[in-house]
Amino acid sequence: MARRSGDKYRAIIEAAVKVIAENGYHNAQVSKIAREAGVADGTIYLYFRNKEDVLISLFRVKMGEFIAAAKKELEGCTGAKEQLARLIRLHFTRLEANRHLATVMQIQLRQSDPVIRQGITEPLRAYSRLIEGIVSRGMETGEFRPDLDVRLARQMIFGTMDEVATCWVMSHRHYSLAALAPEVYRLLFRALAAKDNGSS
């Protein structure tokens, strides 16, 4: 199997995003992905074991890029409150910028089999740790309530962003997902904020 990098690898990943979004995972034949990527069918198997591996790799690459961007974005924040606001905005703007990717992330991955769900576990854990870090920082600085259950707070934050994004992908109305970020932030911050830090 070829090294997982380079122009062809990237082209296959990007092609898979489009083909899976437009056809659904089960109807996204490898031949369609290869055609979209501009490579021969056999070239896919130089980089991936099978279609499951393509979807898992797609998720790992895209989630890895997002987490790297999020970490960089959060480095310059003055506190957990600002970090939370920026994370929500980044989560929504990234998905809105690529609706095909949003469809794969929010819809197609949820319909996949246990092997795929297992394969995407580690990137999800990495994102969970990032969110938990924001919660912990907020508790330490007094921005958030000191009695929070960090894991439950993380589930609430991710679950809220995830549900809002899924509704946007599935909606027949045209509206901006990113425009919802300020209100989502306000709702979440009010739930997390310490009593003397309850303003947004």
Side-chain angles (χ1 to χ4, degrees), residues 71-136:
K71 286 180 177 178
K72 185 175 181 180
E73 178 86 7
L74 300 183
E75 282 177 1
C77 295
T78 57
K81 178 179 171 181
E82 185 183 355
Q83 285 185 328
L84 178 63
R86 287 200 189 185
L87 183 69
I88 295 168
R89 185 182 65 200
L90 186 63
H91 188 108
F92 287 172
T93 54
R94 281 267 174 148
L95 290 176
E96 184 170 352
N98 189 338
R99 197 173 186 105
H100 280 142
L101 179 61
T103 300
V104 173
M105 294 289 206
Q106 301 300 132
I107 307 297
Q108 295 304 321
L109 279 164
R110 315 304 169 90
Q111 301 174 19
S112 56
D113 59 37
V115 173
I116 293 175
R117 288 196 294 272
Q118 180 63 32
I120 66 175
T121 296
E122 186 48 43
L124 285 173
R125 284 178 179 162
Y127 195 22
S128 294
R129 289 191 293 269
L130 184 67
I131 298 172
E132 288 176 0
I134 295 173
V135 175
S136 296

Side-chain angles (χ1 to χ4, degrees), residues 17-81:
V17 170
K18 182 178 180 181
V19 172
I20 293 171
E22 292 180 348
N23 298 276
Y25 172 70
H26 296 293
N27 292 322
Q29 291 96 344
V30 168
S31 59
K32 288 182 180 178
I33 296 172
R35 187 162 57 251
E36 180 66 30
V39 301
D41 291 8
T43 302
I44 301 287
Y45 298 104
L46 295 177
Y47 295 90
F48 306 94
R49 290 185 294 275
N50 49 40
K51 190 171 72 171
E52 288 178 348
D53 191 26
V54 174
L55 184 58
I56 291 169
S57 300
L58 178 165
F59 183 81
R60 287 176 174 170
V61 167
K62 294 300 183 180
M63 200 66 177
E65 291 173 351
F66 172 76
I67 291 171
K71 286 180 177 178
K72 185 175 181 180
E73 178 86 7
L74 300 183
E75 282 177 1
C77 295
T78 57
K81 178 179 171 181

